[in-house]
Amino acid sequence: MTALVIAEHDNNELKVSTQNTISAASKLDGDIHVLVAGSECNSVAEEAATCEGVTKVLYVDSKEYENFLAENIANLIKNVSGDYSSILAPATTNGKNYMPRVAALLDVAQISDISSVESEDTFQRPIYAGNCIATVQASDSKKVITVRTTAFDAAAKGSNSAEILKLEELNDAGISEFIKEELAKSDRPELTAAEVVISGGRGMQNGDNFTLLEGIADKLGAAIGASRAAVDSGFVPNDYQVGQTGKIVAPNLYIAVGISGAIQHLAGMKDSKVIVAINKDEDAPIFQVADYGLVADLFTALPEMESKI
Amino acid sequence: MKILVPIKRVVDYNVKVRPKADESGVDLNNVKMAINPFCEIAVEEAVRLKEAGSATEIIAVTVGAENAQEQLRTALALGADRAILVETDLEVEPLGISKVLKAIVEKESPNLIIMGKQAIDGDNNQTGQMLAALMNYPQATFASELKIEGEKAVVTREVDGGLQTISINLPAVVTSDLRLNEPRYASLPNIMKAKQKPLEVIKSDDLGVDLNPRISTLKVSHPPEREAGIIVESVDQLVEKLKNEAKVIS
Ligand SMILES: Cc1cc2nc3c(=O)[nH]c(=O)nc-3n(C[C@H](O)[C@H](O)[C@H](O)COP(=O)(O)OP(=O)(O)OC[C@H]3O[C@@H](n4cnc5c(N)ncnc54)[C@H](O)[C@@H]3O)c2cc1C
Ligand SMILES: Nc1ncnc2c1ncn2[C@@H]1O[C@H](COP(=O)(O)O)[C@@H](O)[C@H]1O
């Protein structure tokens, strides 16, 4: 029984979400191989080989994997899937994009967004925006799984030196083409991996007011997130959205500012260790999940907080 | 250009569902049902393409029980031209749904399939990608912008780091994200007109597709409850609690 973990990376660095996924794979009995597919990403393969629990790295280096187009990556994964009993990827936008394609090519079901491994074939996963937890058992002989990264600690890195096997697998499906990417550049920690997250909602009123959050984020080393309403209103870019249909976060400290606490937002942050809510409406549902609630106008509370931390 | 829009009947997004007392499933007694919000966005996008002259016909399709006709009527009221219900009383998984949709695609030969990125009940986020794989079509998931350029579609996608733009050959599958558009409300005259639009019912058995479940749900339980917190009186008290009680800031 061997599990294959598909590495998430940017051709330069391995993403922590890969380590979370390795850790989920380690809950299944057996060896763990990691597939690193990309372009000029030798350093990523080397990094993956140092992750605890990994016994082999499959490394495929070619232009057509550079931008992780689903058509090319899915064909590749199908071709190397041979004897693996399970294939796991993080439930990032990449993993969510290519993994169901892999599952369909293999004619097996996908188990999405698992939050716990109960046994070889049984998993837990949140459904209905996390209002219910389903325990599901998969009957396919090959399990195709995406992993909720916040539910699994990152496997340690740096201690191991697994074998790296270079493969020549060319799979340009020729039906899709990468044009461009506009990726936000930020010195802040990544939202899904940050220890502290401070998020703003519609109550922030506009994008400029997010500077009020930045001051606090600077002091706490926090990532900045947002509700859907703040993203839809154009205050901040789409990649800030926390929630059922955005990013899932579970930091040590989550501070929700001017966010009402709709089911869909709670779905993305209610596993945080400590939740703080700042809202001027004492009846806002966010207070029902907050460890510490402050009923206040954010425009006075935030500057005061920044000066006192 | 012909567009196929697969839609799903789901619990309304405002409903907070709970597990049944015996944990055998989700308690769906008397809850309000609706068209999955992402599917509504997909229908709207198709209608806009038709209004812009790029599309000629929009077909809404769903796989579900008889009462899913209500959501097909919603799609018709929003501007779809005709609808297909593939009727089954089974709870079909995304793989099975995508196989049914493949049969419909082969029958209707649409140039473009627009669907939701995710159904908000099972939160699977699979069906579009699976259909694309089965058809060997390209896919553009999580779309926030869609442009038809001749035999290709240029799609901007919402990805973890920001936005990505790709070009895909038609026919293709596109799945909608929240920012693709803001769906209109169906007007009363359009709701009335929708009642006259054609709605074909096909029995799933007649398609000869394997719908057997691959996954069984052993139980559905409550998520861990959070303990009730406290309301602090001031910013000072908040900062004090975070430092000394929760010890999450220093
Ligand atoms: C299919 C679907 C998917 C969705 N996915 C997501 C998702 O992934 N993430 C998500 O967040 N939402 C999602 N939503 C949207 C969700 O239902 C809510 O609409 C959204 O979360 C509301 O955002 P908000 O709390 O910022 O805005 P509102 O609900 O408008 O709340 C604003 C809050 O700010 C407070 N406020 C205003 N001014 C001040 C002030 N001066 N000081 C202090 N407080 C103030 C108000 O009291 C209010 O509570 C989704 C919805 C649908 C239908
Ligand atoms: N029963 C169904 N009938 C038709 N389309 C469906 C059905 N289930 C899911 N879909 C489509 O697939 C999308 C993603 O659903 P899912 O993969 O279940 O998250 C939905 O937004 C619909 O467009």
Side-chain angles (χ1 to χ4, degrees):
Chain A
M1 299 266 245
T2 306
L4 180 67
V5 168
I6 317 299
E8 173 96 9
H9 63 90
D10 59 3
N11 292 308
N12 261 317
E13 283 182 342
L14 193 71
K15 300 277 181 182
V16 186
S17 55
T18 314
Q19 289 155 258
N20 302 116
T21 308
I22 292 171
S23 155
S26 70
K27 307 268 189 294
L28 303 159
D29 291 327
D31 285 350
I32 301 173
H33 295 180
V34 175
L35 173 67
V36 174
S39 175
E40 295 176 31
C41 56
N42 189 33
S43 57
V44 180
E46 283 171 5
E47 223 182 320
T50 74
C51 292
E52 199 175 304
V54 175
T55 48
K56 193 194 276 182
V57 172
L58 308 182
Y59 167 44
V60 191
D61 196 318
S62 184
K63 259 297 187 226
E64 66 252 36
Y65 305 123
E66 182 176 4
N67 301 297
F68 314 104
L69 288 170
E71 296 76 12
N72 300 353
I73 294 276
N75 285 346
L76 168 67
I77 298 171
K78 182 192 174 220
N79 291 349
V80 301
S81 65
D83 295 329
Y84 293 106
S85 50
S86 53
I87 306 174
L88 301 94
T92 54
T93 47
N94 267 328
K96 289 175 185 170
N97 188 36
Y98 61 70
M99 281 298 257
R101 197 167 173 111
V102 172
L105 292 175
L106 295 170
D107 192 29
V108 301
Q110 170 175 300
I111 309 113
S112 294
D113 215 16
I114 62 162
S115 53
S116 123
V117 174
E118 304 290 291
S119 74
E120 277 312 305
D121 63 359
T122 305
F123 311 91
Q124 288 192 340
R125 56 179 305 264
I127 54 174
Y128 288 89
N131 285 312
C132 296
I133 306 291
T135 304
V136 297
Q137 185 172 31
S139 62
D140 290 307
S141 57
K142 239 187 227 334
K143 273 84 184 156
V144 170
I145 296 168
T146 63
V147 173
R148 174 166 289 213
T149 55
T150 52
F152 298 90
D153 292 335
K157 208 172 65 174
S159 50
N160 192 3
S161 59
E163 170 199 1
I164 299 180
L165 181 68
K166 195 161 187 218
L167 303 178
E168 304 292 332
E169 264 283 346
L170 307 182
N171 286 287
D172 189 356
I175 48 180
S176 57
E177 192 190 342
F178 172 84
I179 297 181
K180 66 175 178 183
E181 214 153 43
E182 294 148 66
L183 299 185
K185 291 222 166 36
S186 163
D187 296 331
R188 297 187 194 286
E190 225 174 280
L191 192 49
T192 50
E195 296 281 312
V196 182
V197 173
I198 182 164
S199 292
R202 200 195 309 273
M204 297 302 296
Q205 290 180 3
N206 59 47
D208 290 342
N209 288 335
F210 268 71
T211 51
L212 295 170
L213 301 181
E214 282 167 17
I216 296 174
D218 287 342
K219 286 196 162 174
L220 297 180
I224 297 184
S227 70
R228 172 190 174 182
V231 176
D232 283 5
S233 312
F235 303 172
V236 288
N238 63 284
D239 52 297
Y240 282 47
Q241 183 182 311
V242 170
Q244 179 189 15
T245 62
K247 285 183 178 148
I248 308 293
V249 302
N252 278 332
L253 173 61
Y254 187 88
I255 309 175
V257 184
I259 292 178
S260 61
I263 297 171
Q264 294 82 9
H265 188 78
L266 302 185
M269 44 64 79
K270 72 182 159 102
D271 292 331
S272 305
K273 204 162 134 241
V274 174
I275 296 174
V276 171
I278 302 176
N279 197 303
K280 68 177 180 189
D281 171 11
E282 60 180 337
D283 294 326
I286 189 76
F287 288 124
Q288 291 163 20
V289 301
D291 299 282
Y292 303 106
L294 178 64
V295 182
D297 188 310
L298 67 92
F299 294 102
T300 53
L302 289 176
E304 187 183 344
M305 187 169 171
E306 185 185 338
S307 71
K308 289 182 173 161
I309 52 174
Chain B
M1 184 169 80
K2 195 163 159 180
I3 304 180
L4 185 73
V5 187
I7 64 165
K8 189 175 189 194
R9 170 185 169 93
V10 297
V11 172
D12 184 88
Y13 78 96
N14 282 309
V15 177
K16 187 174 176 200
V17 301
R18 3 176 86 250
K20 288 184 189 159
D22 65 359
E23 298 200 325
S24 62
V26 180
D27 188 357
L28 296 180
N29 248 328
N30 290 320
V31 298
K32 187 177 170 213
M33 303 299 285
I35 180 170
N36 179 42
F38 287 101
C39 301
E40 200 173 0
I41 295 173
V43 173
E44 174 70 29
E45 194 65 14
V47 173
R48 290 187 190 189
L49 285 170
K50 192 177 167 195
E51 287 169 346
S54 311
T56 47
E57 190 186 24
I58 302 166
I59 309 159
V61 56
T62 194
V63 185
E66 192 188 351
N67 53 16
Q69 292 196 19
E70 291 165 25
Q71 281 64 45
L72 288 173
R73 291 289 171 203
T74 307
L76 293 169
L78 292 170
D81 297 294
R82 60 189 172 93
I84 304 170
L85 169 66
V86 179
E87 199 178 325
T88 173
D89 287 325
L90 296 173
E91 210 185 301
V92 189
E93 295 165 1
L95 184 65
I97 303 282
S98 60
K99 288 179 181 179
V100 171
L101 294 176
K102 174 174 188 255
I104 300 296
V105 169
E106 283 167 348
K107 190 163 160 254
E108 297 284 349
S109 306
N111 309 75
L112 181 62
I113 301 142
I114 312 181
M115 46 209 289
K117 81 162 178 181
Q118 173 174 347
I120 59 163
D121 48 5
D123 285 333
N124 278 309
N125 197 330
Q126 299 177 4
T127 312
Q129 297 88 317
M130 287 183 161
L131 173 61
L134 297 179
M135 294 304 303
N136 196 22
Y137 286 173
Q139 67 188 52
T141 52
F142 326 145
S144 63
E145 199 185 339
L146 165 62
K147 281 186 286 196
I148 304 298
E149 296 184 355
E151 294 302 301
K152 291 179 194 281
V154 176
V155 183
T156 304
R157 307 179 52 235
E158 295 200 358
V159 295
D160 284 335
L163 295 171
Q164 182 192 62
T165 306
I166 59 173
S167 165
I168 52 176
N169 295 357
L170 298 177
V173 175
V174 173
T175 75
S176 62
D177 214 320
L178 294 168
R179 262 73 60 179
L180 185 57
N181 60 52
E182 222 175 290
R184 70 195 66 191
Y185 290 98
S187 67
L188 197 56
N190 285 342
I191 294 173
M192 299 311 290
K193 257 192 257 164
K195 295 186 174 156
Q196 309 305 322
K197 290 185 180 176
L199 192 162
E200 179 188 1
V201 180
I202 302 174
K203 297 278 178 212
S204 67
D205 290 346
D206 295 344
L207 293 174
V209 174
D210 168 19
L211 299 181
N212 288 320
R214 310 294 186 85
I215 294 180
S216 54
T217 299
L218 305 183
K219 70 172 186 187
V220 174
S221 42
H222 274 289
E225 290 290 335
R226 288 194 76 90
E227 281 183 34
I230 58 161
I231 295 290
V232 294
E233 296 305 322
S234 63
V235 171
D236 280 321
Q237 198 193 354
L238 175 63
V239 173
E240 190 273 318
K241 293 274 183 201
L242 291 178
K243 279 188 179 159
N244 302 322
E245 192 176 87
K247 299 189 168 58
V248 283
I249 65 175
S250 48

